[in-house]
C-alpha cells in the first residue's frame, strides 16, 4: 500500500501522534541526558537515539495489525487506533546504550532501577533480557531480569520507561555491548522491515550470534584481568 494511502487510512492516529510527539521528544532528551551523565560515563561507551518517523510508525502499525489477525480470537488485541496506539507501540522514542563488556551492565542496570525507585522514571513493563546464551541468561536472571529467547538469537536488554504513570510518552531503552551492536546492525539490515526468508542467511545470523557471544565473553574476561592489574 502506498504511503499516502496509509496516511489516509491512519489519519486519526497521525493526528494524536502530532499532538503528543513533543512529549516523547522531551522525555527522550531527559533519558539521554541521564545516560550521558558523569556518573555513568565510566560504563557507557556511547548513546544512540532516534524518534520513529511517520512512515516507520505506519509500517509498524500495519505489521502489528497483521500479526494480531493471525492470532487466535482469545489472544487478539484488535486493531491499533488513536486510543491505544501509545500502549501498543512503545518505541516511538528509542535510545540505545552501548557498553564495552558484560561486567559494566550491572552498573547501568542498577542506575536505571535507582531512578525508578526514586520515581524519576516509571517502568511501563518489566525489563526483558533477550539472550540465547545460557551463561549470560543466568547472569541477567541474577539481576532480576526476565530472560527471553528469539529465534534469530537477538541479544539485547530492553526497558520501556515513562516519566510517570499518567504520561502517554514512553522511551524504549536498549542496552547491549559494542560487539552485540555489530550483530544487531547486520540483522537489522537483513531482516527489517521484512524478515529474510533465505534459510542460509537465517543459519548464518545465528552462527554470527554465537561468534559475537564468544567474543563478548572473551572481552569481559580480558577487562576483568586488566581491572585486577590496575
Amino acid at each position: 500500500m502506498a504511503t499516502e494511502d496509509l496516511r489516509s487510512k491512519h489519519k486519526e492516529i497521525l493526528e494524536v501522534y502530532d499532538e503528543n510527539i513533543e512529549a516523547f521528544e522531551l522525555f527522550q532528551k531527559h533519558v539521554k541526558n541521564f545516560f550521558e551523565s558523569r556518573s555513568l560515563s565510566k560504563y557507557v561507551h556511547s548513546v544512540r537515539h532516534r524518534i520513529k518517523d511517520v512512515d516507520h510508525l505506519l509500517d509498524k502499525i500495519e505489521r502489528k495489525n497483521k500479526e494480531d489477525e493471525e492470532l487466535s480470537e482469545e489472544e487478539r488485541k484488535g486493531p491499533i487506533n488513536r486510543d491505544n496506539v501509545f500502549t501498543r507501540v512503545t518505541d516511538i522514542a528509542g535510545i540505545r546504550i552501548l557498553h564495552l563488556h558484560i561486567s559494566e551492565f550491572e552498573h547501568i542496570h542498577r542506575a536505571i532501577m535507582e531512578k525508578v525507585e526514586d520515581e524519576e522514571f516509571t517502568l511501563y513493563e518489566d525489563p526483558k533480557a533477550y539472550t540465547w546464551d545460557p551463561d549470560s541468561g543466568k547472569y541477567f536472571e541474577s539481576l532480576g531480569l526476565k530472560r527471553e529467547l528469539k529465534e534469530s538469537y537477538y541479544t539485547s536488554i530492553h526497558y520501556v520507561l515513562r516519566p510517570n504513570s499518567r504520561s502517554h510518552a514512553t522511551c524504549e531503552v536498549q542496552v547491549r555491548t559494542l560487539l552485540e551492536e555489530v550483530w544487531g546492525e547486520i540483522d537489522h539490515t537483513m531482516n527489517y522491515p521484512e524478515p529474510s526468508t533465505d534459510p542460509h542467511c537465517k543459519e548464518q545470523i545465528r552462527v554470527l550470534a554465537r561468534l559475537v557471544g564468544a567474543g563478548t565473553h572473551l572481552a569481559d574476561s580480558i577487562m576483568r584481568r586488566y581491572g585486577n592489574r590496575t
Side-chain angles (χ1 to χ4, degrees):
M1 187 179 291
T3 300
E4 288 306 315
D5 291 335
L6 280 179
R7 287 173 181 265
S8 177
K9 178 181 177 180
H10 298 298
K11 180 181 177 182
E12 290 189 351
I13 291 179
L14 294 185
E15 288 174 353
V16 76
Y17 171 90
D18 288 337
E19 291 167 5
N20 289 274
I21 192 61
E22 185 177 7
F24 284 83
E25 292 171 340
L26 289 173
F27 183 54
Q28 182 196 58
K29 184 177 181 180
H30 177 55
V31 176
K32 178 175 175 286
N33 288 341
F34 162 65
F35 284 111
E36 291 178 338
S37 64
R38 182 175 298 182
S39 61
L40 280 174
S41 62
K42 182 178 178 180
Y43 310 110
V44 173
H45 176 276
S46 51
V47 178
R48 301 180 66 182
H49 61 96
R50 63 105 186 95
I51 294 288
K52 191 180 291 293
D53 61 35
V54 167
D55 287 340
H56 285 102
L57 173 63
L58 294 180
D59 285 343
K60 182 154 192 174
I61 288 171
E62 288 293 297
R63 288 199 308 276
K64 288 180 79 72
N65 283 341
K66 184 178 179 181
E67 290 168 2
D68 190 68
E69 290 172 359
E70 295 170 353
L71 298 174
S72 67
E73 231 177 280
E74 295 77 18
E75 294 175 310
R76 286 180 192 166
K77 298 179 180 179
I80 296 173
N81 56 51
R82 65 171 291 133
D83 296 322
N84 66 14
V85 61
F86 298 136
T87 59
R88 297 285 300 281
V89 182
T90 56
D91 65 342
I92 290 175
I95 289 182
R96 192 172 300 159
I97 308 303
L98 305 179
H99 58 103
L100 192 58
H101 54 96
I102 299 172
S103 304
E104 295 169 322
F105 172 74
E106 181 175 352
H107 301 281
I108 297 169
H109 172 69
R110 294 198 187 284
I112 295 171
M113 299 311 294
E114 284 175 8
K115 287 293 182 182
V116 171
E117 290 174 9
D118 292 341
E119 299 183 349
E120 188 167 341
F121 297 151
T122 299
L123 286 173
Y124 179 76
E125 60 188 20
D126 291 337
K128 296 176 183 176
Y130 293 102
T131 181
W132 60 271
D133 178 67
D135 291 335
S136 295
K138 290 177 183 177
Y139 170 66
F140 294 134
E141 286 173 348
S142 74
L143 297 175
L145 292 163
K146 180 182 177 182
R147 178 188 174 191
E148 292 195 17
L149 173 66
K150 288 200 172 186
E151 183 184 356
S152 66
Y153 283 19
Y154 173 83
T155 301
S156 189
I157 316 303
H158 284 207
Y159 304 81
V160 179
L161 304 176
R162 287 191 292 179
N164 57 68
S165 59
R166 301 180 304 278
S167 176
H168 290 305
T170 54
C171 182
E172 182 186 72
V173 176
Q174 301 176 359
V175 184
R176 63 179 71 156
T177 66
L178 286 168
L179 286 172
E180 290 162 352
E181 175 72 350
V182 171
W183 182 95
E185 287 296 301
I186 293 172
D187 177 71
H188 187 273
T189 300
M190 188 180 82
N191 288 313
Y192 187 87
E194 295 296 330
S196 171
T197 57
D198 187 323
H200 299 292
C201 286
K202 288 183 176 181
E203 178 57 28
Q204 287 166 349
I205 199 71
R206 286 193 288 266
V207 171
L208 181 61
R210 294 187 187 100
L211 291 173
V212 166
T216 298
H217 284 297
L218 180 57
D220 196 52
S221 176
I222 291 169
M223 294 310 298
R224 285 179 184 274
R225 174 66 177 173
Y226 171 77
N228 289 335
R229 292 170 59 89
T230 58

